[in-house]
Amino acid sequence: MNSAKGYIMKAIISVALLGANAAAEEIYPFKAGKWGYLSEQGKVVIEPQFDDVELFSEGIAAAKKGEKWGLIDTKGNWVAEPQFDKLEHYCDEIWLIDETKDGKRLFSYINSKGKMIIKPSPNTYLACTGVNGMLVVNIGHNHGLLDKDGVEILKFEYERIDFREQNGVFYGVVGYYKQGERSSRYGVLDEHGKWILKPEFHWIDIKNHYALLQKEGKWGFYDLKNRETLADFVWDDKSDGYEGTAGRYLVPVWQRLYPPQDRGYKEYGLISREYGFVSIATGRSRIIAPTFDKIEPLSEGMIAVRGGNGKWGFVDEEAKVAIKPRFEEVLPFKNGLASVKFEGKWGCIDKKGKWAIAPTYSEIGDFDEKGFAPARTMADSGGKWGFINKNGEWAITPAYSKVGVFDADGLAPAAVIIDDHHAYGVIDRAGEWVVHPNPKFENIGSFTLNGLARAGFLTSTGWIYGYINKKGEWAIKPRYRGAGDFNDCGIAFVNTGGAMDEGYIDSRGRSVRLPKSFSYYNLNKYCSASQGAFVTADGSVHPNIMNLLKNNYIIMNESFSPKVEIIGVWDDGHIAKTGLIDAMGNVLIKPMPDIFFKNPFSESDFARIYRIINNQTILGIINIKGEFVFDFGDYDIDHKFCEKGLARIQRQKDGKWGLINREYKIVVEPQYDGIHYDMMCYNNLFLAEKKDEKTGFRRQYWLEKDGAVRFHVDKVGDKYILKNAKGEILWQTK
């Protein structure tokens, strides 16, 4: 059979048989000397008469008579007479003709009515849009639109046509290059190929039913659904939009302002901006004029904005001014509240702008998930820090000169003044000292997973850092000029003086040598995924990670699964060996040369692995444990699984074919001389052939996915016989 394009061929095609009153059912090609078609019950619906056939699509199939191909309907009647050298289903109701004439390869296209819609050409290409039967045609890099009958919808003068789906509606973005211009212009078509916006824009970005447009260096916005302009081209630029809830999409835009009192600003490129917003949601939009000079990122559906009066307020996801600018400073909304400064004092507001906590504080931080926020009393009340709850009540009495934030274990650094210096300790959520304040601690960070926190003090030559435990004891004595927090693998960056004195230590202060090629960011990323699995009970680096480092392994971050990771060994400027580890750092496959992973674990808990042995590439399959579950040294496999999860496999020693599932278990033992690729998983059936060694006849079998025979074609003398699984005769030649 002729091999159709795999990415176009549909696995199951329903066609109406024997008149309008007949039930739709599948029909299958079969060969009894010639090719015909039978129903899934084994009833012959088109008598064998063709030299080759393809599957039906939309009630039409390609069939071969002699040396030429044509199109037939479900009754076997010719829709397009056999006249083509090569014919195959291309897309939708379109068929590709591939011919060679006078040494040139020519492509042409016909529809399911047999009508030629594109004449033979060496440089004509077609794409089905899936939108009302429209076809994008490329002739010598000039694109246009035809309908399925070949009628021109859009002239062939555009450099690109790309249809995009937005909430169930398709819009076509059309690119057009105008001679003499530096860049292309773009327009938008509707679902019928009619212009919504003609190509006069330098940029188009469609979101939902709205288009963000750039023209002559300015941005505007257009409602494609209602065909109306939302914003004229007054905006100088836009930022990346914010994804909100319920389909909302908020786009910050701005205008550049050059202070009129000093034109030198413009000369040196110093500008100020006025910001506005366009809110785009399903079925509605809203625009705010450029009245803000600074904006902050979206947080809990609210964006902090600074107005022309220098005061801060908030805009919601629909670009509505939810809280008018009236605050000197604001923090983002966290857990439903935002800390704001009003008339020199800090309080907290809700999303309606109402005071949840009256402004009576010198400073307020963010509320954490337990409802605690650091707060400081006014100077006339001592200027002390404590923690408040969401009712504005003191959860921890203000008695500290400095405080940090609580970690996952409910501990926070806090300081009091001793001898005119901040003396740090650690408190719990009850305000009790876990580590009493000590003048030798002038700075304490947060505790990390290994139970250590960075601590430091100021000397005449600068800061000195070490690490303390939760008892306030020096776990690693202070001797570093710079120190970072420990990552989840129990490794920290430290500096003992200059640029040449940088390095890494473990949780016991021992030097850790990372390969020069090793990425510390790479390590941090992997350690975060391990959730601290590499920290042992005594706070040191887990032996597994140490073994990786000592062996110069690189965690390559190339696996598609959080359960495993590929590691490599760096040697002489390249990755010389590769292997596999699990999430705990255990080596599943020891790094070795000439081993390669193919899309590891991207679709399942199995991955393909290639090994080069004696200059031959050997393919195998490993599971998530690193175990070889199938070695293809004796087999070849077609890795394109059909939608039923099965693929062909061929035994090398005798060339026999069988079927394998996604767990790489053989479900049909190799015993057939062929399994038709383009008939894979056709309504759960497979077309296979087995040669009769005595007669040479290739007996056809339609197989169930478990290998059971649905029906087969046999030959006795000159007579072809169609039988079911029970051996009963369903049809035979006369």
Side-chain angles (χ1 to χ4, degrees):
M1 292 186 63
N2 192 29
S3 178
K5 292 189 175 181
Y7 67 93
I8 288 295
M9 185 64 69
K10 298 177 181 178
I12 300 178
I13 307 295
S14 295
V15 294
L17 300 177
L18 305 178
N21 296 326
E25 62 176 335
E26 322 301 332
I27 60 176
Y28 305 87
F30 78 104
K31 188 176 183 181
K34 298 283 187 178
W35 285 89
Y37 291 86
L38 52 85
S39 70
E40 52 190 322
Q41 285 78 35
K43 181 179 180 180
V44 174
V45 294
I46 299 178
E47 290 287 331
Q49 57 189 286
F50 308 107
D51 294 297
D52 205 347
V53 293
E54 287 197 2
L55 296 172
F56 271 91
S57 175
E58 308 294 335
I60 300 295
K64 188 177 183 182
K65 197 77 168 179
E67 297 298 321
K68 298 294 182 179
W69 286 83
L71 296 180
I72 60 172
D73 62 19
T74 54
K75 295 181 180 180
N77 299 319
W78 290 107
V79 175
E81 292 293 330
Q83 56 188 296
F84 309 109
D85 293 337
K86 186 177 181 182
L87 180 66
E88 59 182 294
H89 181 234
Y90 189 74
C91 59
D92 293 348
E93 299 178 37
I94 304 301
W95 299 78
L96 169 66
I97 302 166
D98 185 353
E99 298 179 298
T100 300
K101 292 184 179 180
D102 299 328
K104 290 184 178 181
R105 191 177 182 186
L106 303 176
F107 301 99
S108 55
Y109 301 85
I110 60 175
N111 62 19
S112 57
K113 299 176 183 178
K115 180 182 178 181
M116 180 78 67
I117 59 172
I118 298 178
K119 294 180 180 180
S121 170
N123 58 353
T124 298
Y125 306 95
L126 178 148
C128 293
T129 65
V131 182
N132 293 322
M134 288 189 293
L135 310 170
V136 176
V137 182
N138 176 3
I139 301 178
H141 303 295
N142 292 317
H143 292 73
L145 277 181
L146 300 178
D147 67 14
K148 60 184 178 182
D149 292 321
V151 178
E152 184 177 277
I153 299 174
L154 194 65
K155 292 182 178 180
F156 291 85
E157 58 184 17
Y158 302 96
E159 62 176 336
R160 58 169 285 196
I161 302 174
D162 177 23
F163 276 86
R164 306 172 186 176
E165 189 270 335
Q166 296 287 327
N167 291 327
V169 178
F170 283 88
Y171 298 103
V173 176
V174 180
Y176 175 70
Y177 179 73
K178 188 175 181 180
Q179 191 69 27
E181 292 196 352
R182 298 176 61 182
S183 60
S184 300
R185 291 180 180 265
Y186 298 91
V188 181
L189 300 172
D190 67 12
E191 292 181 309
H192 302 285
K194 303 295 184 182
W195 288 111
I196 300 176
L197 296 170
K198 290 191 175 181
E200 55 186 30
F201 307 100
H202 293 292
W203 184 271
I204 289 181
D205 185 12
I206 298 176
K207 189 70 176 181
N208 296 330
H209 299 291
Y210 303 94
L212 285 66
L213 312 168
Q214 188 189 47
K215 183 179 180 180
E216 309 303 336
K218 298 286 186 178
W219 286 85
F221 299 85
Y222 189 84
D223 184 338
L224 297 171
K225 188 174 183 179
N226 297 306
R227 308 292 198 269
E228 61 179 344
T229 299
L230 300 177
D232 291 325
F233 293 87
V234 298
W235 309 95
D236 291 298
D237 212 340
K238 70 175 186 69
S239 299
D240 292 336
Y242 301 130
E243 292 282 356
T245 58
R248 297 183 179 92
Y249 189 72
L250 197 63
V251 182
V253 292
W254 66 79
Q255 293 178 343
R256 295 182 177 90
L257 299 177
Y258 299 93
Q261 69 275 16
D262 186 356
R263 294 296 179 184
Y265 269 72
K266 185 173 183 179
E267 179 181 351
Y268 291 104
L270 301 175
I271 61 175
S272 61
R273 296 172 175 172
E274 277 194 343
Y275 286 88
F277 292 93
V278 174
S279 175
I280 299 175
T282 304
R284 61 184 182 277
S285 65
R286 184 178 179 84
I287 299 173
I288 292 184
T291 55
F292 311 115
D293 62 9
K294 192 172 183 180
I295 65 173
E296 296 294 335
L298 180 72
S299 178
E300 294 190 0
M302 304 287 274
I303 296 177
V305 295
R306 189 172 68 185
N309 60 358
K311 299 297 179 67
W312 287 86
F314 289 89
V315 170
D316 65 17
E317 293 178 344
E318 296 184 2
K320 295 178 181 178
V321 178
I323 302 171
K324 292 182 178 180
R326 59 192 178 97
F327 306 107
E328 291 103 73
E329 295 181 54
V330 297
L331 294 178
F333 271 91
K334 294 286 181 66
N335 298 304
L337 297 179
S339 300
V340 298
K341 186 178 182 181
F342 182 71
E343 295 182 350
K345 297 180 180 180
W346 284 80
C348 293
I349 58 172
D350 61 20
K351 291 185 178 181
K352 294 182 179 180
K354 295 181 179 180
W355 289 108
I357 298 174
T360 58
Y361 305 95
S362 174
E363 293 181 60
I364 296 180
D366 291 327
F367 280 92
D368 62 22
E369 68 282 356
K370 299 291 185 181
F372 281 60
R376 187 183 185 189
T377 62
M378 299 301 293
D380 56 8
S381 299
K384 298 292 186 180
W385 284 90
F387 289 85
I388 59 174
N389 60 27
K390 288 189 175 183
N391 295 320
E393 302 165 339
W394 288 107
I396 298 178
T397 303
Y400 312 102
S401 59
K402 294 280 187 180
V403 294
V405 295
F406 284 104
D407 63 16
D409 293 326
L411 300 179
V416 296
I417 299 296
I418 298 179
D419 297 332
D420 297 326
H421 291 281
H422 295 290
Y424 270 83
V426 178
I427 60 173
D428 59 21
R429 288 190 182 273
E432 300 292 335
W433 289 106
V434 177
V435 176
H436 287 276
N438 191 323
K440 65 184 178 182
F441 303 141
E442 293 184 74
N443 181 280
I444 294 179
S446 298
F447 285 98
T448 50
L449 283 173
N450 60 0
L452 302 184
R454 184 183 69 252
F457 52 87
L458 188 63
T459 69
S460 59
T461 58
W463 282 91
I464 300 294
Y465 293 95
Y467 295 86
I468 62 171
N469 59 28
K470 292 183 178 180
K471 296 180 180 180
E473 304 165 338
W474 287 112
I476 300 175
K477 293 183 178 180
R479 62 188 186 93
Y480 306 108
R481 292 293 184 181
D485 290 331
F486 280 96
N487 64 21
D488 292 352
C489 288
I491 296 177
F493 169 83
V494 293
N495 184 300
T496 57
M500 302 301 293
D501 300 317
E502 298 175 348
Y504 303 93
I505 58 172
D506 67 11
S507 301
R508 299 174 68 179
R510 297 173 299 192
S511 177
V512 174
R513 176 183 172 272
L514 298 182
K516 292 181 180 180
S517 59
F518 198 93
S519 165
Y520 186 57
Y521 168 78
N522 180 301
L523 176 63
N524 284 338
K525 181 179 178 181
Y526 185 68
C527 291
S528 296
S530 74
Q531 299 179 345
F534 292 138
V535 181
T536 61
D538 67 354
S540 62
V541 180
H542 195 288
N544 290 347
I545 193 67
M546 287 302 297
N547 286 335
L548 295 178
L549 302 178
K550 288 179 181 178
N551 287 284
N552 206 31
Y553 291 167
I554 297 173
I555 302 169
M556 298 173 65
N557 287 329
E558 291 183 359
S559 173
F560 292 87
S561 170
K563 302 176 183 178
V564 293
E565 189 53 81
I566 298 174
I567 54 174
V569 177
W570 189 271
D571 184 30
D572 194 25
H574 70 285
I575 302 295
K577 301 177 181 180
T578 51
L580 197 71
I581 59 173
D582 65 15
M584 292 291 291
N586 298 302
V587 176
L588 302 176
I589 299 178
K590 185 178 179 180
M592 62 184 76
D594 300 325
I595 183 171
F596 308 95
F597 297 90
K598 179 70 173 178
N599 294 332
F601 312 104
S602 58
E603 298 179 352
S604 66
D605 284 350
F606 298 89
R608 280 177 272 167
I609 185 170
Y610 295 87
R611 293 169 291 162
I612 299 178
I613 302 175
N614 297 327
N615 294 322
Q616 288 188 332
T617 301
I618 305 299
L619 169 66
I621 302 295
I622 58 171
N623 61 19
I624 205 75
K625 298 178 181 180
E627 301 167 336
F628 282 83
V629 296
F630 203 94
D631 196 321
F632 289 98
D634 297 326
Y635 298 91
D636 291 321
I637 183 174
D638 182 350
H639 287 286
K640 190 166 185 178
F641 286 86
C642 73
E643 64 180 18
K644 302 302 180 183
L646 296 173
R648 298 183 301 175
I649 187 172
Q650 186 180 34
R651 191 164 50 213
Q652 291 182 357
K653 67 178 182 179
D654 57 10
K656 299 296 184 181
W657 290 86
L659 296 174
I660 194 168
N661 63 19
R662 287 193 182 276
E663 285 71 44
Y664 292 92
K665 295 180 180 179
I666 295 177
V667 294
V668 176
E669 285 291 334
Q671 56 185 290
Y672 296 98
D673 293 295
I675 295 178
H676 286 269
Y677 174 77
D678 53 354
M679 298 275 184
M680 290 280 289
C681 291
Y682 186 65
N683 193 31
N684 289 334
L685 296 182
F686 299 80
L687 180 57
E689 292 183 351
K690 185 182 293 186
K691 183 179 179 181
D692 188 313
E693 298 299 333
K694 294 182 179 179
T695 65
F697 173 66
R698 292 179 71 90
R699 185 176 290 110
Q700 277 193 338
Y701 296 86
W702 277 102
L703 308 176
E704 309 280 0
K705 62 181 181 179
D706 61 357
V709 176
R710 172 81 69 90
F711 31 71
H712 71 275
V713 177
D714 210 341
K715 185 180 181 183
V716 179
D718 294 329
K719 183 176 290 188
Y720 294 94
I721 303 173
L722 176 66
K723 298 180 180 179
N724 62 17
K726 297 179 181 180
E728 299 170 340
I729 297 177
L730 304 176
W731 171 92
Q732 58 185 328
T733 55
K734 298 178 181 179

